Amino acid sequence: MGSRVDTFVHGFQEGPASVRNAIRLIVVATIVTTVAGGVAVRIFDHKDFHTIGDAMWWALQTVTTVGYGDITPKTGVGRVIGSLVLLYSVAFLTILTAAITTSFIERARSERQGAAGHADPVIARLDDISERLNRLEQRLAPGDD
């Protein structure tokens, strides 16, 4: 199992960015967090969560930040588990979204540069301006007359 996860993560990091890969990772992470949170809250707060179904329903609400409030942990341990599940899911999705966005931007930038066959036109223009300024400075420098 560990090898499959390592292969998946390596493929995601090294492979080309795609919406399909991003969706797969988000779905897998959400399922793992939901199941782990549901099982943990059922084990440690079984007074408030009478069935595994109730625990999974609560975990799904927490991971998705919906929080209907129909089932809530009332013990300290249950609330800590809820806090961890909520913080993990919000932080993970935020970081993952930023990473995916960055990879898409980098991919689009490299494709645009490859299609143009040269560097960014703004950079090329700045280089041209810099060269022209250097020539003007040389012409205006005292002592070369």
Side-chain angles (χ1 to χ4, degrees):
M1 178 74 176
S3 176
R4 294 177 82 191
V5 171
D6 291 341
T7 303
F8 176 77
V9 170
H10 180 72
F12 180 79
Q13 290 175 335
E14 300 299 323
S18 72
V19 174
R20 183 173 294 151
N21 285 342
I23 290 172
R24 284 181 188 151
L25 186 58
I26 290 170
V27 167
V28 168
T30 302
I31 290 170
V32 168
T33 303
T34 303
V35 171
V39 168
V41 81
R42 173 68 178 111
I43 290 170
F44 294 107
D45 194 5
H46 55 272
K47 291 179 184 175
D48 293 324
F49 298 91
H50 303 293
T51 67
I52 191 70
D54 287 345
M56 290 299 167
W57 175 244
W58 167 84
L60 182 62
Q61 293 176 58
T62 304
V63 166
T64 59
T65 68
V66 172
Y68 292 122
D70 55 342
I71 303 172
T72 58
K74 296 182 182 52
T75 66
V77 174
R79 289 180 177 179
V80 167
I81 293 169
S83 298
L84 293 174
V85 170
L86 182 59
L87 290 172
Y88 174 80
S89 63
V90 169
F92 178 76
L93 291 177
T94 301
I95 292 167
L96 181 62
T97 301
I100 291 168
T101 302
T102 301
S103 68
F104 287 152
I105 289 170
E106 288 301 317
R107 180 178 174 189
R109 181 181 301 148
S110 67
E111 287 176 358
R112 186 176 56 233
Q113 286 178 352
H118 61 291
D120 188 2
V122 173
I123 301 297
R125 183 71 177 141
L126 288 173
D127 288 341
D128 181 52
I129 291 169
S130 178
E131 288 176 26
R132 292 172 68 189
L133 283 173
N134 285 336
R135 287 195 305 264
L136 282 173
E137 286 175 346
Q138 289 173 357
R139 287 185 185 171
L140 297 174
D144 286 339
D145 293 332

